[in-house]
Amino acid sequence: MNVILVCAHGVSTGMFSRRLNQEARKRGMTDFSSQAVSYLDVDQYIKEADVVLVGPQVRIIQSKLKALCESQGIQCLELDAQDFGTMNVGRIMTELKSLSEIDKESE
């Protein structure tokens, strides 16, 4: 699963992305990778994504990001501000894993 985290400049989501990658390794999810990108650069990375996580900083453009994702057949989720602020990667990883399982069931 390739996850892109979108925020204003990619700094705070970069930390979140590193923690997601660490959590995936702990869980033995060898096919998982995440990276943080600025909303200004999302067009360059969107085609590589299975899921796009929208950071609280760019919530104002979530509807545009969601439309872009839907046009590409990509899941788009808003990161909960509290989970993001506390770096609760465990909860987000569980949510991502359940999305992955749903996708496998629909194949």
Side-chain angles (χ1 to χ4, degrees):
M1 175 184 291
N2 188 19
V3 177
I4 294 177
L5 291 89
V6 180
C7 76
H9 299 290
V11 178
S12 54
T13 50
M15 292 186 300
F16 200 88
S17 175
R18 283 189 294 281
R19 293 212 181 163
L20 277 176
N21 290 328
Q22 290 170 351
E23 183 69 18
R25 283 192 299 275
K26 284 184 198 174
R27 294 180 183 214
M29 298 171 68
T30 58
D31 65 338
F32 183 90
S33 70
S34 70
Q35 64 180 340
V37 299
S38 165
Y39 73 97
L40 298 171
D41 299 325
V42 74
D43 290 336
Q44 298 172 32
Y45 297 93
I46 191 84
K47 291 181 182 176
E48 301 168 14
D50 298 308
V51 178
V52 171
L53 296 176
V54 180
Q57 310 91 320
V58 291
R59 186 175 302 158
I60 194 164
I61 61 164
Q62 181 179 1
S63 60
K64 290 180 184 179
L65 291 170
K66 189 170 185 169
L68 176 63
C69 289
E70 286 177 357
S71 73
Q72 304 284 326
I74 298 167
Q75 296 270 4
C76 183
L77 302 172
E78 182 179 343
L79 279 170
D80 178 78
Q82 186 171 353
D83 287 337
F84 184 76
T86 60
M87 295 282 169
N88 187 355
V89 295
R91 196 188 81 66
I92 300 301
M93 188 60 73
T94 298
E95 188 173 348
L96 289 170
K97 192 167 183 188
S98 70
L99 281 177
S100 176
E101 290 168 4
I102 290 169
D103 285 346
K104 286 178 185 175
E105 290 174 7
S106 64
E107 290 179 351

